[in-house]
Amino acid sequence: MEIWINPACSKCRSAVQLLDAEGAEYTVRRYLEDVPSRDEIRAVLDRLGLEPWDITRTQEADAKELGLKEWPREAGSRERWISALAEHPKLIQRPIITADDGTAVVGRTDEAVRDALGR
């Protein structure tokens, strides 16, 4: 199990605390420092069963500067969104937990983190 976190994020800290409390074995990836490649983002999206716009923090300054809210949310624009996430990792929703069964969850709630633990 791996968790992508920003240590400054309270949701990330809560998720790590819950994983620790449950005795989970996991690896921490500080994704702002160890930026995921486009291929890694594609793989996580496949595991999540989501599209890149589903995990994009559109209220961030970078998102506003790029005009992301105006970008089409369709298959033809998928790679453009993935490139934006790779070039501006702060836009990636967090925390993301990759579960042992090959799936992943966005662990913004205790319920989602527990769901990842049960997989």
Side-chain angles (χ1 to χ4, degrees):
M1 181 180 297
E2 181 177 77
I3 182 169
W4 292 8
I5 68 162
N6 172 353
C9 167
S10 63
K11 300 282 186 189
C12 293
R13 291 191 306 270
S14 293
V16 167
Q17 287 174 348
L18 181 55
L19 292 174
D20 288 344
E22 296 292 329
E25 291 186 28
Y26 63 94
T27 305
V28 169
R29 179 172 187 170
R30 293 179 178 212
Y31 71 93
L32 296 179
E33 298 163 15
D34 182 7
V35 178
S37 68
R38 287 168 180 76
D39 286 341
E40 288 174 309
I41 292 169
R42 280 186 212 95
V44 162
L45 288 166
D46 288 346
R47 292 176 80 162
L48 287 165
L50 296 173
E51 293 297 337
W53 45 85
D54 296 326
I55 66 162
T56 300
R57 298 171 55 84
T58 58
Q59 297 303 314
E60 291 288 335
D62 286 351
K64 291 177 181 177
E65 192 173 301
L66 292 169
L68 286 181
K69 284 192 172 187
E70 308 307 317
W71 288 15
R73 296 176 181 218
E74 59 193 20
S77 298
R78 190 172 200 264
E79 288 304 312
R80 182 181 184 197
W81 283 85
I82 289 169
S83 292
L85 293 174
E87 292 165 20
H88 305 275
K90 195 173 191 178
L91 298 177
I92 299 172
Q93 190 58 262
R94 59 188 185 251
I96 293 177
I97 302 170
T98 55
D100 292 336
D101 71 351
T103 63
V105 299
V106 178
R108 295 194 54 78
T109 65
D110 287 353
E111 186 176 271
V113 175
R114 285 191 181 93
D115 181 40
L117 285 168
R119 295 182 180 197

